Amino acid sequence: MELKEKLISSYVAFENGIDINSDVHEIRSKAFQNFEALGFPTKKLEEWKYTSLNSVLKQDYSIFPNKANNIELADVKQYFIHDIDTYKIVFVDGKYSSFLSETTHDTVDVCLMSAALTKPQYKATIENYFNKIAKQDNLTSLNTAFANEGAYINIPKNTEVKKPIQIINFTTGSEAATMLQPRNLIVVGENSHVQIIERHQSLTSNPVLTNAVTEIFADKRAFVDYYKIQNDDINASLVDNTFVEQKSNSVVSVHTFSFGGNITRNNLNFYQRGEYIDSILKGITIIEGKQHVDHCTLVHHIEPNCESHQDYKGIYDDRSTAVFNGKVIVNKEAQKTNAYQQNNNVLLSDKATINAKPQLEIFADDVKCSHGCTIGQLDEDALFYMQQRGIPKKEGKALLMFAFANTVLESVKIPEVKQRITKLIAEKLNVNIGFDL
């Protein structure tokens, strides 16, 4: 049975297991009808021209894992950032793990999406925010149709969250192949600050396909600092759909670090609904073998006096392939916009490939907008210079690549996250530099 047919038949069982009288029942039904009509994305779609999901869709995935293996903290401790005190929201095989999680209800409303979608006290928030900015495309519609589990975080106004929040999704391999569809809803009130670290981690060599959707709402003067660490098993594939809506004077930054996994597709969409907004999108990708990473970004400048900054660095070895498809739209009313987009890539192998398509659609006349893309190799002169001063060629290459990525690393605001990413880069480059950038 093809995956689409399996999902269609599974949806009937899913509906029977939830409250069909809930407020989101109609939303789920419409989303599933949309997926049923569209199916999975193919390379015929312009935004998917260079990324094919055919190889990962052939697996016989378990749509609803029957059981979640119990895992001990010692088994997964390495995946947490323990150098800093954090709140933790942990899911194992798509189910919440109270044993591994550490949350608070003092100032931040944290619960499961399954509770937020059904309990009366969350009705107003769900009506105002759930599925309001997520695109109604193929995979987002599929996630919406099966939306049930994930993290719900509601931060009231004038609140500075004391500790970063970690959202981690583990897959144990209790099934031969597993498909997960986590759904996160994050609402940040006026004048509030929060830092969030997100990770999807497979603990098995069995195939895993994760289709995740996250909606982030930043109210006036809110600050959101979001980090995505993607260093999964080579048999795990991820489609990460993130949608951000910002109100006046808010600042939202999303850093994406893509090192592991088989196929990774990041759809990152920002919508600026107010003045004096700053949107920051940055990323580092280091892949090898036959890995594939696709960054598809959108920043929509709707009102005047706003800024956006995109800076993506990529290092590709062996037969790895990558895509950067970055779009900036500036409405006619969005005067005084300052939009910057940069994508720089280094190919370490003649067989590595990068397809880059930076796009600007500008309908205003008083703006500062720029985009650039570079594709090249390491500077042989600089490498020779370093070797002449006693630095081995391997370490010299690593130093050059660290320097190349540093414009992204230096903007990381959590020192412990910066140290972890630096360590992961060193491991990916198979060197021991002996310092933190």
Side-chain angles (χ1 to χ4, degrees):
M1 182 186 297
E2 290 188 358
L3 182 56
K4 181 182 176 181
E5 295 175 355
K6 189 173 186 177
L7 287 163
I8 293 173
S9 61
S10 298
Y11 183 70
V12 177
F14 174 74
E15 273 198 317
N16 291 335
I18 60 175
D19 183 7
I20 61 173
N21 296 316
S22 69
D23 295 331
V24 297
H25 174 69
E26 185 175 351
I27 295 175
R28 285 194 181 107
S29 297
K30 288 182 178 180
F32 188 75
Q33 292 171 11
N34 198 40
F35 169 73
E36 200 171 4
L38 296 174
F40 286 100
T42 68
K43 297 180 76 171
K44 292 181 180 179
L45 298 174
E46 183 64 27
E47 289 188 349
W48 289 84
K49 184 177 180 180
Y50 300 107
T51 298
S52 172
L53 296 178
N54 290 341
S55 61
V56 299
L57 297 180
K58 292 178 181 178
Q59 300 291 337
D60 184 18
Y61 293 106
S62 172
I63 308 302
F64 308 109
N66 293 320
K67 56 183 180 180
N69 290 339
N70 292 324
I71 57 178
E72 299 296 327
L73 179 60
D75 299 328
V76 296
K77 186 176 180 179
Q78 61 179 311
Y79 303 113
F80 293 96
I81 297 179
H82 279 291
D83 304 327
I84 185 174
D85 190 19
T86 64
Y87 302 120
K88 301 175 183 65
I89 308 172
V90 181
F91 300 89
V92 178
D93 292 336
K95 297 177 175 61
Y96 177 69
S97 171
S98 58
F99 173 70
L100 295 174
S101 300
E102 297 177 25
T103 61
T104 179
H105 298 277
D106 294 339
T107 57
V108 181
D109 190 1
V110 177
C111 73
L112 305 184
M113 277 300 297
S114 55
L117 293 173
T118 56
K119 293 187 176 181
Q121 62 263 40
Y122 301 109
K123 181 176 180 179
T125 304
I126 294 301
E127 287 180 349
N128 289 332
Y129 297 106
F130 179 74
N131 206 45
K132 290 297 187 289
I133 54 173
K135 282 184 179 179
Q136 304 308 308
D137 60 10
N138 316 58
L139 295 176
T140 304
S141 293
L142 175 61
N143 178 283
T144 302
F146 286 92
N148 190 48
E149 205 59 285
Y152 167 89
I153 302 172
N154 190 352
I155 301 168
K157 65 180 181 179
N158 303 318
T159 301
E160 183 171 354
V161 182
K162 298 177 182 178
K163 302 184 290 188
I165 301 172
Q166 293 192 69
I167 304 173
I168 304 184
N169 295 270
F170 290 114
T171 311
T172 64
S174 60
E175 307 282 352
T178 304
M179 183 176 186
L180 300 175
Q181 303 200 70
R183 181 67 172 239
N184 302 316
L185 177 60
I186 300 166
V187 181
V188 185
E190 287 185 33
N191 304 307
S192 293
H193 295 215
V194 67
Q195 293 179 312
I196 298 175
I197 305 160
E198 179 188 31
R199 182 164 188 158
H200 300 270
Q201 186 64 51
S202 174
L203 307 175
T204 175
S205 59
N206 293 345
V208 176
L209 174 59
T210 301
N211 176 37
V213 173
T214 300
E215 293 180 286
I216 303 171
F217 294 85
D219 212 330
K220 296 176 181 178
R221 297 175 297 280
F223 285 79
V224 181
D225 195 22
Y226 208 105
Y227 299 93
K228 295 176 179 289
I229 301 176
Q230 300 170 344
N231 190 36
D232 213 339
D233 184 87
I234 193 60
N235 292 311
S237 295
L238 168 67
V239 179
D240 186 276
N241 308 280
T242 301
F243 304 90
V244 182
E245 181 178 281
Q246 294 180 248
K247 295 296 180 67
S248 298
N249 298 97
S250 63
V251 178
V252 177
S253 66
V254 176
H255 287 70
T256 306
F257 301 102
S258 304
F259 305 134
N262 177 20
I263 294 176
T264 302
R265 165 77 176 217
N266 291 301
N267 298 316
L268 182 55
N269 303 270
F270 277 71
Y271 303 97
Q272 298 183 336
R273 302 189 185 280
E275 294 190 56
Y276 304 104
I277 290 171
D278 194 1
S279 303
I280 301 163
L281 303 76
K282 297 196 176 189
I284 297 175
T285 301
I286 304 177
I287 54 175
E288 59 190 350
K290 294 183 179 180
Q291 289 180 278
H292 179 92
V293 172
D294 182 344
H295 294 288
C296 184
T297 68
L298 166 68
V299 180
H300 194 166
H301 291 266
I302 300 170
E303 299 191 34
N305 301 304
C306 294
E307 298 187 10
S308 65
H309 304 269
Q310 299 188 56
D311 188 7
Y312 283 79
K313 307 285 189 182
I315 300 173
Y316 312 106
D317 202 356
D318 302 326
R319 293 178 177 270
S320 61
T321 57
V323 182
F324 177 78
N325 186 357
K327 179 182 287 187
V328 176
I329 300 175
V330 182
N331 281 13
K332 182 178 180 180
E333 298 79 13
Q335 303 292 343
K336 304 293 183 181
T337 289
N338 182 10
Y340 168 86
Q341 183 188 98
Q342 187 68 33
N343 174 229
N344 302 108
N345 306 281
V346 173
L347 303 181
L348 301 179
S349 165
D350 292 338
K351 296 179 180 179
T353 304
I354 169 70
N355 296 285
K357 186 182 179 183
Q359 304 172 69
L360 295 178
E361 295 184 11
I362 304 171
F363 302 97
D365 52 19
D366 185 9
V367 300
K368 293 180 180 178
C369 297
S370 65
H371 65 77
C373 174
T374 63
I375 302 172
Q377 297 177 323
L378 290 178
D379 188 336
E380 292 295 333
D381 290 339
L383 187 59
F384 177 77
Y385 179 87
M386 296 170 76
Q387 288 179 273
Q388 292 297 94
R389 277 146 185 81
I391 300 175
K393 185 175 183 180
K394 182 180 177 182
E395 282 71 19
K397 281 186 174 182
L399 286 170
L400 289 176
M401 286 185 278
F402 267 109
F404 171 73
N406 194 43
T407 58
V408 174
L409 279 174
E410 66 184 4
S411 65
V412 175
K413 295 182 177 64
I414 304 176
E416 293 79 6
V417 171
K418 185 175 181 179
Q419 292 169 8
R420 175 61 65 90
I421 298 302
T422 301
K423 182 179 179 181
L424 289 175
I425 293 175
E427 291 175 355
K428 192 70 175 179
L429 300 177
N430 194 26
V431 294
N432 184 11
I433 297 296
F435 67 88
D436 292 329
L437 288 173

